[in-house]
Amino acid sequence: MSFLRHIQPKARFVLIGLGATLAMLGMSSSVNALIGRPGTPSAIGLLFNRQHFVGAVDLSFLQDPVALMITAACFATPVFCLEQVAAISDFVGMNEVNIAYRAAHLQVDDINRAIALANRRFRAIGSYPVSIVLFAVCGLSAHYLYDTLAKRGLLASWNPTELSNQQWRTMVYAGWWANRTTHPVLYLFLWLAGTYLFYFVAKQLAMGLAFADFARSTMALQFGVAPNLIYNSDGYWGLRSLRRFMQWTYGSALIHFTVTLCTFIVWLPFNQTTVFLVTGVVLANVAVVIYPSSIAYHSAVREKQRYLDHALTITPDTSAVEKLADKIWERPNLPFRARSTFSAVAIYLLAPIILAIVSSLIS
């Protein structure tokens, strides 16, 4: 595996994801757990073609929507994380260019201290001791989740038969492709995938909290998110790096929220614990996604006000400044259309409601 060290990080993670996925598919195929056993009805298929009583069911890898989503999330999450890191690394340089007109009035020492503190936190998040402890905690969390599946079965809220929910979920787990009794190697693969996913999500959350605190502290020092109000330097008024960060952050949050919903609504029964868990995920996303976005919005608004105040100090022509103000306030405060933002929020909020309704109707 030493050759991986000479490959760019993004390509390295893509290769690891492809290799792991192919290994999972090959192993599943070798034990007839890829598409199911001939003559045995699919647990997912029964949702659309009901039978009152069945003696056995299959839940193969390619018929398990949660497993497919976890595999896709494992493949994508390290790439999301790398893109976020790259965008964060461009943030300070982006701001320096955009507010060059007032650089002489900045509290440089305080800003440098905030940058140094953020860098120390990022280094700590990426350090070997923290990574090892975090990986162990994530491994235990994945083991606890799959142990819960073994004890409580699968698809309890999606029972399309006349069997009791206990009989149904026990039967589904018995035919599950990752049953740790009949397919221990596949169970190990799934546990590693869950640990890998939890690990990178935890890193993202920690990194997001550190960046949110940095954005909050630097906004007070007039070094928050600042568009380039002199000219459109990159097609997004100097905020292309911020747009990149927000795109990858929003995409990551939506994928992980969907995986969490599917795990605890499709695999496990929908109950009060699910509600608390989903609420916790939403609160975490508020802390690392919505709160920083709010900071960015208010910071951009303040920057526009500062720039207009600066314009008044260099020109006595108030009518020219008024025309400039009209143009500046017409520009977007963030490098996104409001329609796209509202659409993402609507999907984010409606997804759990739709899944819960479908689960209730099938039950």
Side-chain angles (χ1 to χ4, degrees):
M1 300 294 288
S2 60
F3 75 95
L4 289 175
R5 299 176 183 176
H6 305 290
I7 303 175
Q8 291 296 322
K10 186 189 294 187
R12 186 188 312 162
F13 283 117
V14 169
L15 288 174
I16 291 173
L18 284 173
T21 302
L22 290 174
M24 180 86 80
L25 292 173
M27 183 60 65
S28 300
S29 178
S30 68
V31 294
N32 294 323
L34 184 63
I35 58 176
R37 295 166 294 177
T40 304
S42 163
I44 297 296
L46 289 176
L47 300 178
F48 307 98
N49 183 21
R50 289 181 173 234
Q51 297 180 24
H52 294 296
F53 296 99
V54 291
V57 295
D58 251 342
L59 186 58
S60 63
F61 177 69
L62 293 182
Q63 296 171 342
D64 187 347
V66 182
L68 294 176
M69 294 198 65
I70 289 176
T71 302
C74 285
F75 184 85
T77 299
V79 177
F80 282 130
C81 197
L82 285 172
E83 292 290 346
Q84 288 173 300
V85 169
I88 287 175
S89 67
D90 293 338
F91 180 82
V92 172
M94 175 194 76
N95 260 12
E96 288 176 343
V97 171
N98 293 347
I99 61 173
Y101 72 94
R102 61 180 181 87
H105 305 289
L106 291 174
Q107 304 173 53
V108 177
D109 291 339
D110 291 336
I111 293 172
N112 286 338
R113 278 193 286 271
I115 293 172
L117 175 61
N119 285 334
R120 285 197 299 271
R121 288 173 174 172
F122 288 138
R123 282 194 294 269
I125 293 170
S127 65
Y128 281 111
V130 171
S131 298
I132 292 171
V133 172
L134 186 61
F135 194 84
V137 172
C138 292
L140 291 174
S141 300
H143 172 74
Y144 175 76
L145 172 61
Y146 300 141
D147 188 60
T148 301
L149 291 175
K151 293 177 180 178
R152 302 181 63 180
L154 283 89
L155 305 184
S157 296
W158 303 74
N159 183 0
T161 70
E162 297 295 331
L163 299 172
S164 69
N165 284 341
Q166 177 63 44
Q167 292 173 314
W168 165 254
R169 63 193 187 189
T170 301
M171 184 183 297
V172 174
Y173 184 81
W176 189 37
W177 67 274
N179 184 311
R180 64 184 180 187
T181 302
T182 56
H183 301 135
V185 176
L186 292 177
Y187 166 78
L188 178 62
F189 266 97
L190 185 61
W191 173 79
L192 287 172
T195 302
Y196 187 76
L197 178 59
F198 287 165
Y199 173 80
F200 278 102
V201 170
K203 290 268 186 174
Q204 283 183 303
L205 289 174
M207 184 175 63
L209 289 172
F211 184 71
D213 185 65
F214 168 76
R216 178 197 58 78
S217 61
T218 53
M219 186 173 73
L221 299 171
Q222 300 184 3
F223 194 74
V225 171
N228 190 327
L229 298 172
I230 299 176
Y231 71 105
N232 191 358
S233 58
D234 58 7
Y236 296 99
W237 298 99
L239 297 178
R240 183 175 288 273
S241 295
L242 178 66
R243 175 183 171 84
R244 178 187 178 189
F245 175 73
M246 294 175 73
Q247 282 178 321
W248 288 103
T249 300
Y250 290 170
S252 177
L254 186 58
I255 286 177
H256 296 145
F257 185 60
T258 304
V259 171
T260 302
L261 282 177
C262 287
T263 301
F264 288 91
I265 293 180
V266 177
W267 269 359
L268 293 169
F270 186 87
N271 52 31
Q272 291 181 345
T273 303
T274 308
V275 175
F276 286 119
L277 180 74
V278 171
T279 302
V281 174
V282 171
L283 291 176
N285 284 333
V286 167
V288 300
V289 178
I290 299 176
Y291 175 62
S293 299
S294 175
I295 291 176
Y297 176 85
H298 288 95
S299 180
V301 170
R302 292 182 186 181
E303 185 59 32
K304 290 183 176 182
Q305 294 170 339
R306 293 190 193 100
Y307 184 75
L308 292 174
D309 292 340
H310 171 75
L312 283 173
T313 64
I314 60 177
T315 177
D317 188 353
T318 55
S319 62
V321 175
E322 287 178 358
K323 292 179 181 179
L324 175 64
D326 290 338
K327 292 180 180 179
I328 285 178
W329 289 114
E330 287 176 357
R331 299 170 189 169
N333 295 315
L334 293 176
F336 282 100
R337 294 192 302 268
R339 184 175 60 186
S340 300
T341 303
F342 290 140
S343 298
V345 171
I347 293 172
Y348 188 84
L349 294 177
L350 288 175
I353 298 173
I354 292 171
L355 272 175
I357 291 174
V358 172
S359 174
S360 176
L361 289 175
I362 291 177
S363 297

